[in-house]
Amino acid sequence: MVSIQIRHLTKHFGSTLALDDVNLTIESGEMFFLLGPSGCGKTTLLRHIAGFSTPDQGQLLFDQRDVTRLPPHKRNTAMMFQSYALWPHLDVGQNVAFGLEERRLPRAQIETRVQESLQMVRMGHLADRKINQLSGGQQQRVALARSLAVRPDALLLDEPLSNLDAKLRLEMRSEIRRICKQFGVTAVYVTHDQKEALHLADRIAVMEQGAISQVGTPREVFRAPRTASVASFIGEANFLPGDCIAAAGPGRQATARTAHGHFTGRLTDPTWHPQPGEPVRLCLRPEALRFGESPYLPNTIRGRLVDSIYLGELAQYAVQDAAGTTFHVSELNPANPRPADASEVSLTVSPDDVMILRA
Amino acid sequence: MKRLPTYGFLLFIFLVMGCFFVYPIYHTVREAFTRPGGGFTLEYVGHIFGNPLYREGLGNALKMAAGSTLGALILALPLALLSARFTFPGKALLSALVLVPLILPPFVGTIGVKQILGQHGALNALLAPGAIAHGYPPDWLGHGRLLGVVLMNALHLYPILYLNIAASLANLDPALDEAAENLGCPPWRRFWRITLPLAMPGIFAGASLVFIWGFTELGVPLMFDFPRVTSVQIFDGIKEIGGNPLPYALVAIMLVASLLLFLLSKFLFGRSDFAGGGRASMAAQTPRLRGIQGWLATGGFAAITLLAVLPHLGVTLTSLAADWNDAALPSGFTLQHYRDALSHGLTVPSILNSLKYAGLATAIDVVLGLAIAWIVVRTRLPGRHLLDSLAMLPIAVPGLVLAFGYLAMTREGQPFDWLIGPQEDPCWIIVIAYAIRRLPYVVRSASAGLQQTSVSLEEAAQNLGCTPWRSLCRITLPLIAANLIAGALLAFSFGMLEVSDSLILAQKGEHFPITKAIYNLNGALGNGEALASALGVWAMVFLSITLLGVGLLLGKKMGALFRA
């Protein structure tokens, strides 16, 4: 297992900047996620770690060892490809044995390792199958077994679940985490599915336009997004513009004036110290908003209920204020969903759930 | 599609294939095993194997085939790998030039090769002027000229192999290779363990075509005066076709050997184990070779291409040479041969004939090929698999066999004598011969196009109120146009260059296609070779313009044509 350090990695493809001064440290044994919309550079970064691309600038270190110019076959990483990339001319067992043969392991040891790896992914009985006789989920397991059989220093996963159906995807999610933790392998996992990342990750790096926007545990990136784009990419967000009145005190509390009166909340970016009068943006999660009784308390939004969607485990409402801004509200386990009758409502939010960001 | 017309069409295609593919073969084979009064006999076949002359012919045919295949493979494999995996200076131009050998009939090329590599050719004049003076210049074409035949075949046929290998490499998911790299496999071992096995179906598909082609090649050994090979023995046998059953027996043996080979390659690599390679999930990144490496790649590529245009060069120089003997270059240049060739009574009609034959045959191929591909890919009609195999089989049947069959079945008193008529005009029979032999190319490219075009695209059109027929015209045809044009192009240019059907079926000067005109001119006394070369250059120019025109029409899609 290695730790991976990425320093000032920059890469151009023609005139587009694919990686923009990326800096990251991935700890040994960590399950680390690269999360972002498609085209944000997450797969490019993964391919740099594997060695399929070399950066224009910057360094890549495995355990302090510089591997920036090392060819892929000498890096001892194992990548799980989105298309699985299982070789159709070899059977399941031969696919898994391939990397071990390349490492010149004795025959007997190869056989035990192949069996071990296949059993780990519950495919032990199918070693003689041809690749095109396997279902999508089975191919996925074989690809995982092939990667893990070589005991890689780092496991690289490129959207490994995107070709599976929804149910299988949920099942394999837990499976992958179980197996990775059992091996204790350093894993870098690329996905655009925030649920997958929140579910599995030790830490997440959110990427945007080739750069890292924020790194943190699932709870940190969800509860304390530092930018509006991170907030809206992970989970849903309502935004409310305002001006800072006071920012001080323990817990980095701050107060802002908005079209709906004063709001108290917390600053999410520890490096930011807004001055009174500075414009800010409040971020309110739909599930943090609650229908309130009194319209005159602080942290309250007034508007009309214009839409109501019943989804079983929750109900989604849309509330429009006088200025025409729409706020989305989620109510968990709704017994009597409110009708969309344009009635006057007020929404309150706890100061702990108001996230104050740069405008 | 309504059911009834489709069935009608299926029946029609079976009828056409039955009359003009199965029947002529049957006719030939029957002659080989029937004694004069009727009744089965193995006497003729036995006679062939008992005669050392014929045994040697068969042995030479095998050598010719194996040598041509090996030569073509040595040329094509490195080129295909290089262009599939790397970018290097001049790549676009060079990979277009790979197709150049296809524009010259190989038997015309032999004139040029003899001029350059022959005992009194340019190479000896360059290397060993002294040896010529002593009268013992080295013979680069080898004893008995077999080496020359093999070289010529390899140079002419390697593009077919190149296209096949390049296509199978292009269809591989680059992740398959990266996965091996990622698991610790260095480049050279990766080639042996992953790339080569996965490219094997392409290599074998191309190699079996080249092998059968080489096995039955008639024009090249004929021009090299190499008579001890089966194809030439059959050709010589026609002169006495009325009574002699031995040519038929030879043809039957050739047919069986070719079919066995074809089935063997199907059996070895036709199974679908390799087909799971899947479409590429991402575009392959081809690293750019820089500096020395880049120029080495370019140089190697260019050298092979140069070698392949050697015949063209020789032919062109011969056609322009006032005198060219024992010298590196002609001693003087003249356009007289072109004037002579054009004013020769055979020339203009033969060009027009070839255009007519190849054009009509291509039109038939496009209609039949599209229909067959559509039935095979898009319908669930019973008999479609049989139709598919039947339509692909002409690839495995030597042109000589079919030509022989056509000749036999249109003789007076035979069921199809009306096709030639009392004027003995072989136009339609030649067109049919061309069309049947090239049908597989069109079927294959059309079905590749249809397979890559999702049915849901057609269904979406029909869902929006388009009739099936109109959805075929508006959606499917435009989408597979590139594939169809590619197939048609191959059919047309192979038709223009066709040798065995042309030599055998066109008996009178006024019906000669261009290849037979060249063959006849070459035999003329005096400046025959120069005249034939001049006409060959005309054919070359003409085919290049055709290919170039289609290239311009299609723009960037041209490259995709041969990857279908």
Side-chain angles (χ1 to χ4, degrees):
Chain A
M1 309 313 120
V2 296
S3 67
I4 301 169
Q5 279 185 44
I6 296 163
R7 290 183 187 159
H8 304 293
L9 220 59
T10 300
K11 177 74 174 180
H12 292 263
F13 287 125
S15 60
T16 47
L17 186 57
L19 292 179
D20 184 3
D21 192 29
V22 171
N23 288 286
L24 273 180
T25 299
I26 299 168
E27 301 299 340
S28 170
E30 187 174 32
M31 191 141 192
F32 193 90
F33 268 64
L34 297 173
L35 180 66
S38 63
C40 71
K42 54 193 193 298
T43 296
T44 306
L45 183 57
L46 194 75
R47 292 174 62 82
H48 274 81
I49 299 175
F52 294 127
S53 303
T54 40
D56 299 336
Q57 281 160 42
Q59 262 188 321
L60 194 71
L61 307 178
F62 286 180
D63 277 343
Q64 315 305 324
R65 189 166 48 99
D66 188 343
V67 296
T68 316
R69 307 275 151 199
L70 204 64
H73 63 270
K74 294 187 177 152
R75 291 201 181 189
N76 198 28
T77 64
M79 181 142 162
M80 236 182 104
F81 291 81
Q82 193 174 2
S83 60
Y84 310 140
L86 296 172
W87 300 297
H89 63 301
L90 307 177
D91 67 23
V92 168
Q94 288 167 330
N95 262 280
V96 177
F98 185 93
L100 303 169
E101 286 160 9
E102 284 307 319
R103 283 164 177 72
R104 309 280 151 89
L105 261 59
R107 196 70 236 171
Q109 201 182 343
I110 290 180
E111 269 163 36
T112 36
R113 276 253 210 124
V114 167
Q115 262 315 310
E116 211 177 278
S117 309
L118 283 175
Q119 265 154 19
M120 173 89 73
V121 298
R122 299 181 181 139
M123 290 282 294
H125 54 300
L126 295 178
D128 298 328
R129 282 284 180 92
K130 287 280 172 199
I131 297 304
N132 52 17
Q133 296 172 322
L134 300 180
S135 71
Q138 288 172 327
Q139 292 192 17
Q140 212 259 359
R141 286 163 190 269
V142 175
L144 186 59
R146 184 177 74 182
S147 307
L148 289 172
V150 298
R151 305 274 151 84
D153 287 338
L155 179 66
L156 311 175
L157 304 109
D158 184 8
E159 308 216 13
L161 302 179
S162 63
N163 284 339
L164 300 182
D165 64 60
K167 194 153 181 283
L168 208 52
R169 205 178 305 166
L170 279 179
E171 199 180 302
M172 283 310 290
R173 251 194 220 167
S174 320
E175 195 77 351
I176 285 182
R177 175 149 178 118
R178 169 182 73 82
I179 292 167
C180 286
K181 285 298 163 191
Q182 194 169 333
F183 268 93
V185 66
T186 308
V188 186
Y189 192 124
V190 160
T191 184
H192 60 254
D193 183 340
Q194 43 141 333
K195 290 251 168 64
E196 216 165 283
L198 291 173
H199 180 171
L200 299 178
D202 292 325
R203 282 193 307 150
I204 298 173
V206 183
M207 289 187 73
E208 211 183 341
Q209 292 178 351
I212 306 278
S213 310
Q214 188 171 350
V215 182
T217 63
R219 188 176 170 279
E220 277 164 6
V221 290
F222 191 83
R223 294 283 303 170
R226 294 200 195 158
T227 65
S229 60
V230 172
S232 52
F233 189 74
I234 299 190
E236 275 187 78
N238 297 300
F239 292 110
L240 182 63
D243 299 304
C244 182
I245 300 174
R252 296 195 40 80
Q253 280 223 335
T255 307
R257 182 182 16 226
T258 73
H260 291 277
H262 288 190
F263 274 73
T264 305
R266 57 196 165 80
L267 298 171
T268 53
D269 185 348
T271 63
W272 182 46
H273 305 283
Q275 299 305 309
E278 194 174 328
V280 297
R281 185 138 54 150
L282 309 187
C283 171
L284 314 166
R285 300 269 186 213
E287 59 275 11
L289 291 171
R290 271 187 297 277
F291 290 98
E293 300 309 319
S294 164
Y296 304 108
L297 292 173
N299 285 16
T300 299
I301 290 167
R302 290 160 297 278
R304 293 175 182 279
L305 185 60
V306 293
D307 197 11
S308 163
I309 304 168
Y310 180 66
L311 289 173
E313 83 264 30
L314 55 82
Q316 288 180 341
Y317 304 105
V319 173
Q320 205 169 50
D321 68 8
T325 311
T326 303
F327 295 86
H328 294 277
V329 186
S330 298
E331 185 185 11
L332 257 179
N333 196 21
N336 297 302
R338 295 159 187 260
D341 54 4
S343 58
E344 294 258 359
V345 291
S346 52
L347 303 167
T348 62
V349 56
S350 139
D352 198 37
D353 289 333
V354 177
M355 299 176 279
I356 302 178
L357 315 172
R358 282 189 178 88
Chain B
M1 285 266 169
K2 289 237 171 62
R3 282 249 134 162
L4 208 60
T6 319
Y7 274 112
F9 210 84
L10 186 68
L11 209 66
F12 174 73
I13 296 173
F14 270 123
L15 200 69
V16 169
M17 292 302 287
C19 287
F20 298 112
F21 180 62
V22 180
Y23 182 68
I25 292 174
Y26 164 73
H27 209 91
T28 313
V29 174
R30 192 187 56 184
E31 295 276 321
F33 294 101
T34 311
R35 56 176 104 242
F40 179 80
T41 177
L42 284 173
E43 189 190 326
Y44 308 133
V45 177
H47 183 79
I48 299 268
F49 285 109
N51 187 331
L53 211 62
Y54 289 133
R55 275 212 308 270
E56 191 193 345
L58 281 170
N60 280 335
L62 275 178
K63 281 186 211 162
M64 189 159 83
S68 310
T69 312
L70 197 67
L73 191 64
I74 291 171
L75 293 177
L77 187 59
L79 292 196
L81 277 171
L82 208 58
S83 77
R85 288 297 152 90
F86 302 103
T87 308
F88 47 86
K91 177 180 172 181
L93 179 70
L94 283 170
S95 35
L97 283 178
V98 166
L99 301 179
V100 164
L102 290 178
I103 65 167
L104 182 69
F107 81 105
V108 181
T110 51
I111 303 175
V113 166
K114 279 200 282 187
Q115 268 299 345
I116 292 175
L117 297 182
Q119 273 188 308
H120 296 278
L123 191 65
N124 276 345
L126 263 181
L127 293 180
I132 293 179
H134 291 100
Y136 297 108
D139 187 353
W140 299 99
L141 296 173
H143 180 65
R145 304 214 169 270
L146 186 59
L147 199 62
V149 176
V150 164
L151 178 74
M152 197 55 227
N153 276 341
L155 286 181
H156 178 241
L157 296 176
Y158 86 90
I160 294 182
L161 212 50
Y162 171 88
L163 292 175
N164 268 293
I165 300 173
S168 62
L169 287 176
N171 281 336
L172 287 183
D173 187 344
L176 293 172
D177 205 49
E178 286 176 352
E181 193 177 8
N182 177 248
L183 288 175
C185 198
W188 184 241
R189 286 175 52 75
R190 214 151 64 230
F191 170 75
W192 288 108
R193 297 200 61 184
I194 305 296
T195 315
L196 200 61
L198 287 173
M200 222 44 196
I203 293 175
F204 233 76
S208 59
L209 281 190
V210 172
F211 194 95
I212 291 172
W213 198 314
F215 188 58
T216 62
E217 172 66 40
L218 170 64
V220 175
L222 211 53
M223 293 294 267
F224 265 118
D225 298 324
F226 182 62
R228 291 196 302 274
V229 63
T230 310
S231 53
V232 180
Q233 287 167 340
I234 293 174
F235 181 67
D236 288 341
I238 313 186
K239 289 157 195 161
E240 31 186 334
I241 192 166
N244 190 354
L246 284 186
Y248 286 104
L250 270 177
V251 168
I253 291 169
M254 190 173 251
L255 174 71
V256 170
S258 301
L259 282 181
L260 278 182
L261 230 147
F262 184 69
L263 291 179
L264 182 75
S265 82
K266 282 265 157 197
F267 175 74
L268 279 180
F269 289 97
R271 288 165 304 172
S272 57
D273 296 1
F274 292 78
R279 303 296 299 171
S281 60
M282 51 176 295
Q285 287 174 330
T286 48
R288 176 170 284 279
L289 295 176
R290 290 176 195 285
I292 286 284
Q293 278 186 320
W295 290 109
L296 271 181
T298 308
F301 214 114
I304 292 181
T305 313
L306 200 69
L307 194 65
V309 297
L310 214 59
H312 304 60
L313 202 69
V315 169
T316 311
L317 282 177
T318 309
S319 74
L320 288 169
D323 182 41
W324 191 11
N325 231 335
D326 290 332
L329 282 173
S331 51
F333 291 99
T334 172
L335 285 174
Q336 189 58 39
H337 305 311
Y338 285 85
R339 281 193 286 275
D340 289 353
L342 271 186
S343 63
H344 195 283
L346 275 180
T347 306
V348 175
S350 74
I351 293 177
L352 292 178
N353 279 339
S354 267
L355 281 178
K356 183 170 74 175
Y357 299 154
L360 283 172
T362 307
I364 293 176
D365 275 345
V366 168
V367 174
L368 276 188
L370 181 63
I372 292 174
W374 194 86
I375 288 176
V376 169
V377 178
R378 285 287 194 265
T379 72
R380 295 279 163 272
L381 293 190
R384 65 182 195 285
H385 292 302
L386 180 65
L387 182 67
D388 190 32
S389 327
L390 201 58
M392 294 316 294
L393 215 51
I395 271 192
V397 174
L400 267 177
V401 175
L402 277 178
F404 237 66
Y406 291 132
L407 201 63
M409 73 188 220
T410 52
R411 257 183 296 146
E412 225 180 304
Q414 294 295 337
F416 285 94
D417 58 354
W418 49 270
L419 260 174
I420 296 194
Q423 289 83 35
E424 304 215 336
D425 181 354
C427 172
W428 282 107
I429 203 71
I430 291 183
V431 167
I432 290 170
Y434 285 8
I436 295 286
R437 299 239 348 253
R438 311 306 169 214
L439 187 59
Y441 300 104
V442 184
V443 171
R444 189 162 272 179
S445 53
S447 37
L450 283 174
Q451 273 157 359
Q452 285 164 12
T453 311
S454 164
V455 197
S456 52
L457 295 177
E458 283 170 48
E459 287 169 349
Q462 291 173 21
N463 177 252
L464 292 175
C466 199
T467 64
W469 173 246
R470 278 181 53 79
S471 76
L472 181 70
C473 297
R474 289 193 57 190
I475 308 294
T476 316
L477 277 185
L479 285 172
I480 66 167
N483 296 71
L484 264 187
I485 292 173
L489 203 68
L490 279 181
F492 184 76
S493 58
F494 283 153
M496 289 292 285
L497 302 180
E498 156 59 56
V499 176
S500 29
D501 294 329
S502 313
L503 290 192
I504 290 177
L505 293 176
Q507 303 286 1
K508 282 192 200 162
E510 73 232 55
H511 302 133
F512 280 4
I514 195 163
T515 40
K516 183 143 189 182
I518 293 174
Y519 176 68
N520 264 34
L521 282 179
N522 187 54
L525 290 175
N527 61 350
E529 290 201 342
L531 285 187
S533 298
L535 197 48
V537 172
W538 279 118
M540 239 177 348
V541 169
F542 188 77
L543 271 178
S544 321
I545 291 173
T546 316
L547 285 172
L548 213 70
V550 174
L552 283 179
L553 252 166
L554 285 178
K556 276 187 184 163
K557 278 193 195 155
M558 179 75 177
L561 281 189
F562 297 96
R563 237 169 276 137

